């Protein structure tokens, strides 16, 4: 009687418990992916953002989950209260999540030094797996236990499996989107992971509520007799195990190559990659949900036929998806034109990813759910019929997923083109479908028909898609010299002989995907950044480190000085391979015996390298790109300070044209928090792409005036300095902008950017940048500009130093006038970019003011002479004023003579010729 009463109560409570377990799956999925997003990011800072580091974290994560699933395989259905065990695992996940911000940050500081720069790939994978193991074991064992818990309250095992997986995956979709778009920006890592921990605890509570306190059901719904050509699929389950492993490998491989191909045209921010992952998860969840609704038909009639059909459809879908990927640039531009706001661009990327990858991921979800149901189905020859554990299946799938980043991310993409990797995955699915059909003794004509149709479709789709390089052609003026499809982007070099290039000295441009273009001119700005840094470091500098290479123009500047060692660090290996093309601007960086070039993440290098450097120069890092924001973090600046030799300098160049003002304030605030002695200078006087250098040191920064004058007068570098307009010590220091107090004032109330509060990485992508961003930032900086403080420039003669300060002040005033003129001109061009600038007195007044304040300030002269040549009225105003200020200026006299000759003013021309002859002119 008691037993019948308990069973009756269990039947009544079944639906309620079932709903609780389904909700637990959704919350567990949300917690898992929210945590995984945070964990992989923090651990990635230790292992590096180069491909090896990123893939090592992924492989370690999947490997740990596979081990957890394997351990749960034999125990899930034997424990009396699997729901309670699941709840305890979720509590463990929550505890790890709460501690993870600090524990993983500690590992991030210790691990690079422990592994070193030459650590083999397997060691990085093992390190990631071990560090994450407590959490990944719990996550991997959770689903088998939840399935076992549901089997105590329900009999529709196949349908329930698919529903649990679908809700877990859809919850994961919401978890990753919430973590990146909401929690991290609003709360920072510690509180965001606390929210993720709360989700895990909610999941634990729901599972406990769904515990029926009953023994497993001994009766499950039986599938109808199969009508496949061979109905032995449920007896020979090894085929299903092989299939779930192969589909795991191919599925994750497609994710790796799909993300890499679409990253060429997506914005490349932390939000872009989160959106791609969300599309992947949502598609697989929807596919599993569809299978749940059709599970009775899929399993009860022709389970092997359904499996072959799903895998065959996946092969065709992957192949046809390549054609959609090829159209991604046009689709993205149609959904969000270049001028669109950030929100619309994000939605456009999300929609594009859904259109390209959505159909395939839905099929993947359905196929995975079908395989799980086949593996879990009771053996028809065993009585009583009990479902099998899915732990081993999840373990095999997880191990295959762990191998996929290495197989496809490191080997395949490095050896094949993107299109070939994509095609290889499609052919892999087709071969799997044919193999299953053959093993299950499908009629030869069916196998032949499927093989022929599938093969022809794959060949046609591959031909239709062609290359999966989505970078547009450079145009008629530019010719591709070399292009490589690498694991971190499409890297290409193109050339042109159009001005300011020539046949003798063509212009070269380096490009990474669609976003980054470097070079394209004579690299004046990049080379000046290198020389300014070296001049600040002084003649005693012997070891220099350059973080970020590009064309090598900045680092190559260091070879003009008596360095004994120059180390260059670059994240993208193919960029280093392209450096020989730019030897005209990088001084033969790849052939100089003093140079060491390393394809390694800048953050990992600073923590793994034990060397000391007299100068460390950090290149222009776009703050919105995924991972670049961490290069402006307190931890990075601290690591750089610790790698400086006594008296060494760290110079961080900032792209003012790629920074919103708030991000600039946060970077300045972080910089002065790390460096007790800090200054800021302009690299070049360009309002379109201005670059500000933050100069920091642990000791007082002093520039010897005598040494600076000797360096700029060095005859071996005189021609180089003339080309860079870097010949006058007064002009050199005219670019001084801010001292430490000025940087603190600039920062205002901005918070610090650090690893646990990655504000720059999260804020910068949302900023609305435009053609005037650099000009606007520079104009605001000019209003806060300060003279260089006492002690920054030194000289034994106080009187000489005072004269130099006064002369430098004149250059600084001239620079301010010049930049105001450039700002006004830039705004005029932005308002009417299709028309040539029409010079007016108002527009030219700042340039003339710069000349009158300091005639030796060279940048203002070209604008003045060009305007005088173009407009006789302006010439009548400009040239007499210039001659009055500098009566002996030969170029001004020549311009005045040319003007008088053009307007045929013979009387004044005679007077001007007489004055010219007095100067010794012909």
């Amino acid at each position: 009687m008691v037993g019948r009463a308990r069973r009756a109560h269990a039947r009544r409570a079944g639906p309620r418990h079932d709903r609780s377990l389904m909700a637990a799956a959704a919350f567990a999925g949300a917690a898992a992916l929210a945590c995984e997003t945070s964990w992989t990011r923090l651990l990635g800072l230790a292992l590096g953002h180069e491909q090896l580091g990123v893939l090592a974290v992924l492989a370690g994560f999947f490997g740990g989950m596979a081990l957890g699933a394997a351990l749960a395989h034999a125990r899930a259905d034997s424990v009396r209260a699997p729901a309670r065990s699941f709840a305890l695992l979720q509590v463990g996940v929550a505890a790890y999540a709460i501690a993870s911000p600090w524990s993983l940050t500690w590992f991030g500081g210790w691990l690079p030094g422990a592994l070193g720069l030459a650590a083999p790939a397997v060691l990085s994978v093992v390190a990631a797996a071990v560090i994450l193991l407590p959490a990944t074991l719990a996550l991997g064992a959770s689903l088998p236990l939840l399935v076992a818990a549901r089997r105590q309250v329900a009999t529709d095992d196949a349908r329930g499996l698919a529903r649990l997986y679908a809700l877990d995956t859809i919850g994961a979709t919401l978890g990753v989107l919430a973590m990146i778009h909401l929690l991290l920006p609003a709360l920072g890592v510690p509180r965001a992971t606390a929210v993720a921990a709360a989700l895990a605890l909610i999941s634990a509570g729901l599972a406990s509520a769904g515990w029926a306190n009953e023994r497993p059901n001994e009766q499950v719904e039986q599938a109808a007799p199969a009508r496949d050509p061979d109905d032995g699929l449920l007896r020979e389950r090894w085929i299903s195990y092989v299939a779930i492993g192969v589909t795991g490998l191919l599925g994750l491989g497609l994710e790796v190559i799909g993300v890499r191909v679409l990253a060429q045209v997506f914005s490349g921010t932390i939000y872009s990659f989160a959106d791609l992952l969300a599309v992947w998860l949502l598609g697989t969840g929807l596919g599993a949900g569809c299978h749940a609704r059709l599970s009775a038909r899929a399993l009860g009639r022709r389970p092997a036929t359904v499996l072959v059909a799903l895998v065959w459809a996946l092969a065709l879908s992957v192949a046809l998806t390549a054609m959609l990927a090829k159209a991604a640039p046009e689709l993205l531009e149609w959904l969000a034109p270049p001028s669109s706001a950030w929100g619309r661009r994000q939605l456009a990327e999300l929609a594009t990813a859904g259109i390209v990858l959505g159909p395939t991921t839905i099929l993947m979800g359905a196929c995975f759910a079908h395989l799980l149901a086949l593996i879990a189905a009771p053996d028809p020859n065993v009585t009583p019929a009990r479902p099998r554990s899915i732990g081993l299946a999840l373990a095999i799938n997880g191990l295959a997923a762990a191998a996929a980043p290495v197989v496809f991310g490191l080997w395949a993409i490095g050896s094949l083109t993107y299109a070939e990797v994509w095609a290889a995955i499609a052919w892999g699915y087709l071969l799997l479908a044919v193999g299953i059909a053959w093993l299950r003794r499908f009629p030869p004509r069916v196998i032949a028909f499927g093989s022929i149709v599938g093969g022809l479709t794959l060949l046609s789709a591959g031909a239709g898609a062609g290359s999966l390089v989505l970078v547009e052609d450079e145009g008629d003026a530019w010719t591709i010299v070399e292009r490589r499809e690498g694991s971190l982007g499409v890297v290409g070099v193109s050339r042109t002989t159009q001005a300011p290039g020539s046949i003798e000295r063509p212009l070269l441009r380096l490009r990474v995907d669609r976003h980054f273009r470097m070079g394209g001119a004579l690299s004046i700005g990049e080379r000046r950044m290198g020389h300014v840094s070296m001049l600040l470091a002084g003649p005693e500098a012997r070891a220099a480190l350059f973080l970020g290479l590009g064309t090598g123009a900045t680092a190559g500047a260091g070879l003009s000085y008596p360095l004994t060692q120059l180390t260059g660090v670059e994240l993208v290996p193919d960029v280093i391979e392209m450096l020989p093309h730019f030897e005209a601007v990088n001084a033969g960086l790849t052939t100089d015996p003093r140079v060491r070039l390393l394809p390694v993440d800048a953050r990992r290098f600073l923590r793994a390298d034990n060397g000391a450097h007299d100068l460390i120069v950090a290149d222009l890092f776009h703050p919105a790109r995924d991972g670049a924001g961490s290069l402006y973090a307190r931890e990075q600046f601290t690591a750089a300070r610790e790698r400086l030799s006594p008296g060494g300098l760290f110079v961080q160049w900032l792209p003012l044209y790629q920074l919103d003002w708030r991000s600039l304030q946060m970077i300045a605030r972080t910089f002065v928090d790390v460096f007790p002695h800090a200054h800021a200078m302009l690299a070049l006087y360009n309002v379109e792409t201005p670059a500000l250098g933050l100069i920091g040191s642990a000791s007082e920064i002093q520039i010897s005036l005598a040494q600076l004058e000797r360096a700029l007068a060095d005859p071996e570098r005189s021609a180089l300095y003339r080309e860079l307009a870097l010949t006058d010590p007064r002009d050199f220091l005219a670019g001084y902008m801010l001292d430490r107090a000025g940087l603190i004032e600039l920062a205002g109330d901005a918070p610090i950017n650090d690893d646990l509060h990655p504000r720059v990485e999260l804020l910068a992508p949302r900023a609305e940048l435009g053609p005037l961003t650099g000009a606007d930032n520079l104009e605001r900086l000019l209003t806060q500009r300060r003279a260089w403080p006492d002690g920054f420039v030194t000289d034994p003669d106080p009187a000489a130093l005072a004269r130099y300060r006064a002369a430098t002040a004149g250059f600084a005033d001239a620079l301010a006038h010049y930049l105001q003129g450039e700002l006004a001109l830039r705004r005029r061009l932005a308002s009417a970019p299709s028309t040539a600038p029409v010079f007016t007195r108002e527009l030219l007044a700042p340039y003339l003011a710069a000349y009158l304040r300091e005639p030796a300030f060279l940048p203002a002269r070209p604008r003045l002479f060009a305007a005088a040549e173009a407009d006789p009225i302006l010439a009548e105003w400009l040239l007499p004023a210039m001659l009055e200020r500098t009566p002996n200026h030969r170029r001004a006299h020549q311009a005045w003579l040319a003007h008088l000759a053009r307007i045929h003013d013979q009387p004044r021309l005679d007077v001007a010729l007489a004055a010219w002859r007095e100067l010794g002119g012909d």
Side-chain angles (χ1 to χ4, degrees):
M1 293 291 293
V2 174
R4 286 197 298 271
R6 290 178 61 187
R7 286 191 291 272
H9 172 72
R11 285 193 297 271
R12 290 193 299 270
R16 175 171 59 83
H17 292 317
D18 190 26
R19 288 192 294 270
S20 295
L21 294 175
M22 292 296 170
F27 276 95
L33 261 292
C35 290
E36 188 255 359
T37 301
S38 173
W39 297 339
T40 53
R41 183 191 170 277
L42 288 175
L43 199 52
L45 294 176
L47 294 177
H49 279 88
E50 62 264 50
Q51 191 73 350
L52 172 60
V54 174
L55 298 180
V57 175
L58 287 176
F61 189 87
F62 283 118
M65 289 189 65
L67 181 58
L71 292 175
H73 175 72
R75 297 171 176 82
D77 289 326
S78 62
V79 296
R80 181 173 179 274
R84 186 167 57 185
S85 299
F86 169 86
L88 291 174
L89 289 178
Q90 291 300 305
V91 171
V93 170
Y96 188 95
I98 292 172
S100 64
W102 296 276
S103 62
L104 293 183
T105 298
W106 182 86
F107 276 116
W110 170 80
L111 194 59
L115 293 178
L117 291 174
V122 65
L123 194 57
S124 297
V125 174
V126 170
V130 170
I131 291 170
L132 295 174
L133 192 61
T136 53
L137 279 176
L139 292 173
S142 292
L143 186 57
L145 286 168
L146 198 59
V147 169
R150 187 181 181 277
R151 286 171 176 170
Q152 293 186 341
V153 299
T155 59
D156 56 337
D157 192 61
R159 179 171 174 269
L161 266 176
R163 289 176 64 205
L164 282 173
Y165 178 72
L167 288 170
D168 180 82
T169 310
I170 292 172
T173 305
L174 298 176
V176 69
L177 290 175
M179 176 59 83
I180 295 299
H181 287 275
L182 299 175
L183 298 178
L184 282 180
L187 304 176
V189 176
R191 287 188 289 175
T193 50
V195 172
L199 295 175
L201 293 176
I202 292 173
S203 176
L206 289 167
S208 297
W211 177 36
N213 198 21
E214 281 288 324
R215 292 175 300 171
N217 281 296
E218 296 186 356
Q219 296 297 324
V220 296
E221 291 184 358
Q222 293 286 328
R227 291 185 287 172
D228 283 316
D230 176 6
D231 63 356
L233 189 61
L234 298 183
R235 289 190 297 272
E236 299 180 12
R237 296 174 195 264
W238 67 269
I239 297 176
S240 298
Y241 281 117
V242 169
I244 206 166
V246 173
T247 54
L249 178 70
L250 296 175
L252 263 292
L254 182 63
E255 181 180 2
V256 170
I257 188 62
V259 168
R260 175 80 293 281
V261 169
L262 293 179
Q264 296 175 75
V265 293
F266 281 14
S267 54
T269 67
I270 188 174
Y271 301 104
S272 297
F273 293 108
D275 291 345
L276 280 166
L277 178 57
V279 165
W280 200 271
L281 292 169
L282 181 61
T284 54
L286 292 176
C290 293
H291 187 275
R293 297 185 63 86
L294 302 172
S295 59
R297 295 181 181 179
L299 294 172
R301 298 181 179 179
R302 297 182 182 272
T305 302
V306 170
L307 176 60
V308 171
L310 284 171
V311 178
W312 185 81
L314 270 170
L316 272 60
S317 176
V318 170
L320 295 172
T321 294
M323 299 177 68
L324 292 175
K326 185 69 174 180
E330 292 76 18
L331 180 60
L332 190 62
E333 187 171 353
W334 176 69
L335 292 171
S339 59
S340 300
W342 177 81
R344 181 173 178 180
R345 292 198 304 270
Q346 286 301 118
L347 290 175
E349 290 185 1
L350 198 60
T352 301
I355 293 171
V356 173
L357 299 173
T360 301
T361 56
I362 290 173
L363 286 171
M364 285 181 181
C367 185
F368 183 76
H370 189 67
L371 283 167
L372 279 183
L374 288 174
I375 291 170
D379 192 326
N381 298 323
V382 176
T383 303
R386 291 180 178 176
R388 293 171 175 252
S389 175
I390 61 169
L392 182 58
L394 293 176
I396 293 172
N397 184 263
L399 285 175
V406 177
V407 172
F408 291 96
L410 291 181
W411 175 77
I413 292 181
S415 306
L416 307 171
T417 66
Y418 295 163
E420 289 169 345
V421 176
W422 202 298
I425 293 170
W427 282 102
Y429 277 118
L430 183 60
L431 290 174
L432 178 62
V434 171
I436 296 172
W438 179 75
L439 288 170
R440 293 276 53 91
R441 300 174 182 83
F442 278 51
R445 63 180 183 277
V446 173
I447 297 176
F449 177 79
S451 301
I452 293 172
V453 172
L456 290 175
T457 302
L458 267 58
L459 291 172
S460 300
S467 171
L468 290 180
V469 173
L470 306 183
V471 180
E472 71 270 15
D473 293 335
E474 298 284 354
D476 295 337
W478 292 86
T479 303
I480 297 293
V481 177
E482 185 178 359
R483 176 181 282 168
R484 297 189 179 192
E485 301 172 37
S487 58
L488 290 175
V490 177
V491 180
V493 175
S494 53
R495 70 188 295 272
T496 184
T497 57
Q498 289 191 349
S502 63
I503 296 177
E504 295 77 17
R505 192 178 183 182
L507 300 183
L508 294 170
R509 182 163 65 192
L510 176 69
R511 187 168 186 171
V512 181
D513 290 338
R514 296 185 99 189
H515 308 294
F516 300 101
R517 284 181 175 148
M518 292 154 275
L522 300 176
S523 299
I524 299 296
E526 294 91 334
R527 292 154 68 197
R528 273 185 65 104
M529 289 193 302
H531 284 284
V532 167
S533 301
M534 290 300 306
L535 290 168
L536 289 170
E540 296 84 8
R542 292 294 178 267
L545 167 63
F546 290 83
L547 305 177
L549 291 175
T551 63
T554 301
L559 298 179
S560 300
Y561 300 84
L563 294 175
T564 57
Q565 178 177 299
L566 187 154
T567 303
V569 170
E570 170 57 49
L571 178 65
V572 183
D574 289 330
V575 168
I576 295 179
E577 298 298 322
M578 298 294 188
L579 286 176
H581 291 292
F582 298 91
E583 61 180 9
V585 296
N586 65 32
L589 197 62
T590 58
T591 58
D592 195 293
R594 297 173 292 169
V595 175
R596 178 177 60 148
L597 301 177
L598 300 172
V600 65
D601 177 76
R603 282 191 55 126
R604 188 166 73 89
F605 177 84
L606 285 177
R607 285 160 177 76
D609 182 58
N610 295 321
H613 308 277
D614 301 310
L615 173 67
I616 300 177
V617 181
D619 207 351
L620 303 168
F621 304 123
H622 196 313
R625 301 301 174 229
D626 185 34
S630 66
L631 297 174
Y632 298 117
R634 176 166 53 188
E635 291 81 359
Q636 171 72 352
F637 291 156
T638 301
R641 186 190 64 193
E642 293 172 351
R643 287 289 169 263
L644 290 174
S645 59
L649 288 184
F650 174 65
V651 182
Q652 173 67 70
W653 292 106
L654 301 179
L656 295 180
Y657 51 97
Q658 294 172 337
L659 277 167
D660 64 287
W661 187 256
R662 190 59 173 172
S663 295
L664 176 60
Q665 288 182 302
M666 289 189 289
I667 294 171
R669 172 72 178 86
T670 307
F671 194 85
V672 296
D673 181 73
V674 172
F675 291 99
H677 302 276
H679 303 267
M681 289 183 65
L682 286 177
L684 68 160
Y685 311 144
N686 183 327
V687 301
E688 184 176 359
T689 56
L692 180 72
L694 300 182
I695 307 154
S697 179
S699 56
E700 185 178 4
I701 301 172
Q702 293 183 329
I703 299 174
S704 168
L705 177 57
Q707 289 180 348
L708 180 61
E709 289 176 335
R710 284 196 298 270
L712 292 177
D714 188 335
E716 294 184 1
R717 295 193 292 266
S718 58
L720 181 62
Y721 286 150
R722 281 195 300 273
E723 183 181 13
L724 302 177
L726 195 62
T727 58
D728 195 320
R730 299 167 299 173
D731 182 51
F732 176 81
L733 281 173
Y736 187 91
M737 297 295 290
L738 297 167
D739 58 6
R740 177 181 172 82
L743 284 168
I744 293 174
E745 181 183 345
L746 181 150
D749 62 350
I752 288 175
N753 179 58
D754 59 29
D755 289 347
L756 295 183
H757 302 86
R759 296 180 172 97
V760 171
E761 187 167 8
L762 294 164
L763 176 64
R766 297 171 180 258
E768 298 297 335
L769 305 180
L772 294 178
T773 297
D776 292 339
N777 286 336
L778 184 57
E779 187 170 38
R780 294 184 71 172
L781 274 175
L782 289 174
T783 64
Q784 302 185 29
R785 186 182 187 194
R786 300 187 178 200
W788 45 269
D790 293 337
F792 183 66
V793 179
T794 63
D795 192 87
D797 185 353
L801 185 59
R803 289 192 298 272
Y804 180 72
R805 177 182 282 279
T808 303
F811 269 76
D813 291 342
L815 173 61
H817 289 306
Y818 169 76
L819 290 177
Q820 290 297 335
E822 290 289 282
L823 289 167
L825 178 60
R826 178 65 182 158
R827 290 193 170 91
R828 187 180 191 125
L829 289 171
S831 62
S834 61
T835 61
V838 178
F839 289 107
T840 64
R841 288 177 68 103
E842 180 183 6
L843 192 65
L844 289 167
Y847 297 103
L848 182 59
Y851 186 90
L852 298 180
R853 179 66 177 90
E854 180 49 72
F857 180 76
L858 301 179
R861 295 182 182 182
R863 300 289 191 202
L864 296 172
F865 288 128
E869 184 177 358
D871 190 331
I873 297 176
L874 292 177
E876 292 286 341
W877 168 54
L878 293 172
L879 295 176
M882 296 170 69
L883 286 170
E884 182 180 357
R885 178 67 175 86
T886 52
N888 297 328
H889 190 255
R890 298 175 68 85
R891 178 71 179 87
H893 274 282
Q894 291 172 336
W896 181 239
L897 290 170
H899 162 68
L900 295 176
R902 282 195 299 272
I903 65 173
H904 307 292
D905 189 336
Q906 192 62 43
R908 287 196 294 169
L909 180 59
D910 293 338
V911 174
L913 281 171
W916 172 249
R917 293 190 181 99
E918 289 180 5
L919 291 176
D922 297 332

